[in-house]
Amino acid sequence: MPKTSNVARRYAAGIFQLAQEENAIGTWRTELAKLDELLQDDVLVAAFQNPSVGVMRRMELAQLLKPELRPKTENLLRLLVEHYRTREIHRIREEFERLADEASGIVHATVTTAIELDKDDRGHYEQELSRKLGRKVTLRFVTDPTIVGGAAIQIGDHLVDGTVRTHLARLRQELLS
């Protein structure tokens, strides 16, 4: 998954602030989903990647294909088109979702293991992390055979690395020093 850009973070933070002021986080979730879907349209993507298509024409195309968007969402669309930021919409939406979840007490984490975990093991990780953090945790599971065994848990910028690969690397380092 690509890292969120500074541009996406700034747009998402602005939208989130507006959504909080309006008490309309759910509405903005829906609107951003519509906008994300719209800006994935093959015709728009091709037109927006073509440097010979000017801003006015891009806006006309977007207006023709747009679903029913609220005026504030249309303003966001206009800003994205005018500043050549339409490619950022998916990352903006993801960052907005993260901010909204964080505000409602939901933590997102990634668990990396060497083998695919079954449903029971996944549930166990989710329950234990929720208990330890005192918050609801939404997990994404990744399989990486190179870690040999154990697990690595990433929560925001915090990494808990309990993998066999890391333990072996530390042991090697100790033996060499």
Side-chain angles (χ1 to χ4, degrees), residues 45-158:
V45 170
F48 289 177
Q49 289 178 348
N50 185 342
S52 66
V53 177
V55 172
M56 293 304 290
R57 183 66 183 137
R58 291 172 191 221
M59 279 303 296
E60 289 171 9
L61 288 170
Q63 291 293 333
L64 287 174
L65 295 175
K66 73 174 175 73
E68 290 302 312
L69 297 174
R70 296 178 329 138
K72 289 181 182 176
T73 310
E74 286 183 25
N75 287 339
L76 173 61
L77 173 61
R78 183 183 47 75
L79 282 173
L80 294 173
V81 170
E82 286 177 358
H83 296 284
Y84 301 94
R85 308 268 196 212
T86 55
R87 290 186 195 172
E88 292 289 327
I89 187 59
H90 191 70
R91 289 186 183 108
I92 292 168
R93 178 184 174 194
E94 287 178 339
E95 181 64 11
F96 178 87
E97 296 281 344
R98 188 192 66 74
L99 290 169
D101 286 348
E102 188 177 282
S104 63
I106 298 172
V107 176
H108 291 271
T110 302
V111 176
T112 305
T113 57
I115 59 170
E116 182 97 17
L117 297 177
D118 63 27
K119 189 176 179 178
D120 290 340
D121 289 335
R122 289 173 182 240
H124 178 73
Y125 270 103
E126 194 168 329
Q127 286 175 347
E128 282 301 307
L129 281 171
S130 290
R131 186 182 64 77
K132 286 188 185 266
L133 297 174
R135 299 169 79 182
K136 181 175 177 3
V137 176
T138 302
L139 294 179
R140 182 173 73 93
F141 291 90
V142 177
T143 304
D144 178 3
T146 65
I147 66 171
V148 183
I153 302 169
Q154 179 87 39
I155 303 170
D157 293 338
H158 187 72

Side-chain angles (χ1 to χ4, degrees), residues 157-176:
D157 293 338
H158 187 72
L159 174 67
V160 178
D161 191 341
T163 62
V164 172
R165 177 179 64 193
T166 300
H167 288 294
L168 290 173
R170 283 187 194 132
L171 181 60
R172 181 175 187 265
Q173 212 39 44
E174 286 178 23
L175 291 172
L176 292 174

